[in-house]
Amino acid sequence: MSAANTAESADFRGPLDITRAATMVLDAESTVIGWSPAAAELLGYAPSDALGRPVTAFLPERPAGGLLPVEAAGTAGPGPPSLVGNEIRLARTRDGRELLVATATCPLPGGAEGHGPGEPDRILVASEVESLLHWESRIALLQGLATQSPVGLAIYDTDLRLSWSNTAYEREMGQPLAAFRGKRADELYGTGSFVTPGYPRMLSGVMRQVLDTGEPILDLHFRGQPPSDPGRYHLWSCAYYRLEDAHGHVLGVCEDAFDITDRYRVQERLTLLVEAGRRIGTVLDVANTAEEIAGVAVEDFATTVRVDVTRAAVTGETAAVGSPADMSLLRVAERSAPGSGTPDPGLPDPGQAGAGELPGAGPPGADDRPGTGPPGAARGPGEPREPYPPVAYPPGSPQNRSLASGGLVLDEGTLVIPLRGGGGVLGLVTFDRGTGSDAAGRAPAPDRPTTFDNGEVALADELAARAAVSIDNARRYTRERTASLALQRQLLPHHLPPRSAVETAHRYLPADDVTGVGGDWFDVIPLSGTRVGLVVGDVVGHGLRAAATMGRLRTSVRAFAQLDMAPDELLTRLDDLVGQPAEDRSDAYGGAVETYDVTTGATCLYAVYDPVSRRCVMARAGHLPPAVVGPDGRVSFPDLPAGPPLGLGGLPFESMEIDLPVDSLLALFTDGLVEARDHDIGRGLDTLGRVLGDRTASLEELCDRAVSELVPEGTSADDTALLLVRTRELDAERVADWELTAEAVSVGRARELATGQLEAWGLEELVFTTQLVVSELVTNAVRYAGGPLGLRLIRDRTLVCEVADTGHTSPHLRHSAADDEGGRGLFIVAQLVQRWGTRYTPTGKTIWTEQALPPAGAG
């Protein structure tokens, strides 16, 4: 039988009710003169067998278990109102069995006058003890529900007026039932309402629906303010069902409600912690993390949340340690519930111009990756970003007290918790509770008190601890990233100064968007004779290790280039350095060190362009060939001998020389630009050629187009470097050269030619110095080398003087003794010029010098 059927069949009259029990009518002498069918069923004796016999024939005089308590005998239900002398007896049945029964006696009216034999004197009722105990447990259950159950029970009549309630309901009301019996449901809870969707919000609506339909409604959540706890909202889990009598007449509706406020608060806090774990610390950014904790807490925990961090936390420096006066706080996040947030008095407006401008600070989600601009101009940590307003709290404020003590401070509706990490204080989180509407709009008045209880303080402390860990991680990341970017910017050119030989533009995109550094590099190296060295290279891998290796390679290339090495010779020297055996690389204590972190996979392309001859010599080590765009817009990729990647060793490199007409475009790039997951390198080269074929666009525009089409939104899996070079020419008006014989008279001839050319250029101030330089260099060539000799003057950003001969021995600067007759000429030359040096050619060598031009308008 189901529980519902059991409830419907329950009879609350009790087993000893005369309408149900085995009933015996006795006279004054205890003779049975009446025998009910229930007695015949219980003991097995028919009325004819029982009538006229003494009751002791069926029930011994001596009790089997003593008296039952009067309250346990059960007097509810119709019948005589007082059963007395309740006993437990051992009855004998007709078939000889012994049966334990409970009995009760009810005297009949007129007993005071006395009854004669055969006249009814009293009624005795009996029932099995087991039935009585079962009935007693039901009565105890009802008694417990009425007086001890934590579930509030109430019965409303058909007019929805309260007619009965149990003790738990009275405690909710804060007064006895008599004080509020007869009130309507909505009068008891004021502005309370149901929050379960799909049902009426008001009590009267829900109860009326149950009365009309007869369908019970279970587990509705009701929010309201009980009279016993004014000003504080509670949450109940409620159920409603219709009450009917035995004939189906509707009597009213029953409500049972269990206060789940505390359980709901615990669930809220657990949910808030789970949400905090999901939402706080999603990115390594101090401002983002501050916004995340404010967004999590203001929704369900506080009316206003403010996050102030130290300047050191934003810039990535060590966490602040010291007194509050030594800590500079910045307001990085503030969030308030709609219509409830009010700014702190005396605090600056976060939007005021120029307040707290701070390096490394920026709005959430700001992109700090070096992008389409020059590496030196890329915005990131360590450079100005969105300003944050400074915050100064008065000495007695909760915030100042929290900083001074290093612990949380609870001041009525304000809770301040320090953010601790990295061995110091990173900032403060302030939780405020106001008196406005609930943040989620769930009730027209606050559903929580304006103060924080112990559980909420512990929750806020946990939230702050999680935020502190994320902010400290962001601080460490900012510090490491700033160092990484500083390293990258030191390794790559800060800027490319203008050159007479070429016009340049470049882009650099590291694939590692965490550190912002990579292994690709490019460079433009000034060489003697107004020539320029062009370099692009690629180191396998990303991040700091690849960047450090790249930096060493770039430094080596610049050093070799300053020696005026040919491209193939330079790559050979670089290959030897990269492939140097580990046993040859040791530190001062004999331990092996890694000079380069690559064995194979590093590639390089090196080219030298001469604006006088308009010729370009280039060689590559496993790198992609450059793109060459002629003045007519035609794009080609020279069939430059590939050469092996750096580090293999033993394989030769070959140079290739090409003519570049004036206004030609040379594009040097790494494979990250033209190779991607969704297309092969051939497609990338075709796209690059199409972009570069636009002769009307500037170099900066071409760089932007190439990056946007080939690496949209930084989608390349590899680092990307692009260097565009537009060639120029130094014409006859700026270059003068002569051929001389290797004779002593050529010294004077060289002085005359140089003097005449300088006067023609208007550089008379440099005549004396240039005559000394030419005399010394030509004299050395005549004395130690052989003819023919070459003299060339180039008027560029400096005055270049070159003397070429067929010798292969370079002159050396030496210090002559006081009694030496010679050896001072080259020393004097070195003192008169800015730079000087030697470069070797297929036919000999060239000694060159550079002198600064006089200021414009001088003389």
Side-chain angles (χ1 to χ4, degrees), residues 498-654:
R499 302 287 174 190
S500 301
V502 293
E503 175 190 0
T504 61
H506 55 86
R507 296 292 183 270
Y508 181 77
L509 296 175
D512 187 349
D513 57 359
V514 175
T515 62
V517 298
D520 289 7
W521 88 94
F522 62 89
D523 208 349
V524 178
I525 307 171
L527 302 177
S528 63
T530 68
R531 298 170 307 134
V532 64
L534 307 172
V535 189
V536 66
D538 185 0
V539 174
V540 172
H542 315 295
L544 280 176
R545 185 168 184 145
T549 302
M550 172 271 288
R552 293 193 288 267
L553 287 175
R554 175 177 176 263
T555 302
S556 299
V557 170
R558 289 188 71 91
F560 292 148
Q562 295 298 330
L563 298 176
D564 278 314
M565 291 183 179
D568 55 344
E569 182 182 0
L570 182 145
L571 292 180
T572 300
R573 295 286 187 92
L574 192 63
D575 180 64
D576 292 341
L577 188 61
V578 172
Q580 184 179 0
E583 58 268 18
D584 296 339
R585 306 194 296 266
S586 60
D587 57 22
Y589 303 97
V593 298
E594 293 187 8
T595 302
Y596 290 100
D597 298 324
V598 294
T599 53
T600 60
T603 65
C604 183
L605 170 64
Y606 180 62
V608 177
Y609 174 69
D610 188 344
V612 177
S613 65
R614 302 188 311 277
R615 300 190 67 80
C616 183
V617 182
M618 60 185 71
R620 61 183 178 130
H623 203 85
L624 293 173
V628 179
V629 184
D632 57 357
R634 297 181 60 184
V635 181
S636 63
F637 296 89
D639 189 14
L640 182 63
L646 298 173
L648 292 181
L651 298 177
F653 298 95
E654 298 181 44

Side-chain angles (χ1 to χ4, degrees), residues 605-797:
L605 170 64
Y606 180 62
V608 177
Y609 174 69
D610 188 344
V612 177
S613 65
R614 302 188 311 277
R615 300 190 67 80
C616 183
V617 182
M618 60 185 71
R620 61 183 178 130
H623 203 85
L624 293 173
V628 179
V629 184
D632 57 357
R634 297 181 60 184
V635 181
S636 63
F637 296 89
D639 189 14
L640 182 63
L646 298 173
L648 292 181
L651 298 177
F653 298 95
E654 298 181 44
S655 293
M656 178 179 179
E657 184 173 335
I658 61 174
D659 289 324
L660 292 178
V662 178
D663 206 29
S664 295
L665 179 63
L666 187 65
L668 288 73
F669 51 89
T670 58
D671 55 1
L673 179 68
V674 294
E675 191 173 22
R677 297 186 183 94
D678 58 348
H679 63 262
D680 57 17
I681 195 169
R683 177 181 169 187
L685 292 175
D686 292 342
T687 303
L688 178 62
R690 174 176 53 80
V691 171
L692 298 179
D694 184 2
R695 297 295 299 171
T696 62
S698 66
L699 294 186
E700 294 292 337
E701 291 173 341
L702 292 178
C703 281
D704 290 338
R705 292 179 189 175
V707 169
S708 63
E709 292 200 26
L710 291 168
V711 195
E713 300 181 1
T715 55
S716 176
D718 198 3
D719 302 327
T720 299
L722 172 63
L723 176 63
L724 296 185
V725 179
R726 184 162 286 158
T727 62
R728 295 171 178 166
E729 178 187 22
L730 296 182
D731 53 23
E733 294 183 357
R734 304 173 64 182
V735 179
D737 55 1
W738 304 273
E739 186 173 326
L740 305 172
T741 59
E743 299 175 342
V745 296
S746 296
V747 177
R749 175 62 176 164
R751 287 198 299 268
E752 293 176 359
L753 293 173
T755 300
Q757 186 62 54
L758 292 178
E759 291 175 348
W761 284 340
L763 300 177
E764 290 83 358
E765 292 184 19
L766 300 180
V767 169
F768 177 75
T769 303
T770 305
Q771 286 180 345
L772 290 177
V773 171
V774 170
S775 295
E776 179 60 30
L777 296 183
V778 173
T779 297
N780 285 341
V782 171
R783 181 178 299 177
Y784 301 110
L789 307 180
L791 173 63
R792 184 166 72 170
L793 297 179
I794 302 175
R795 178 173 60 86
D796 189 32
R797 301 179 184 275

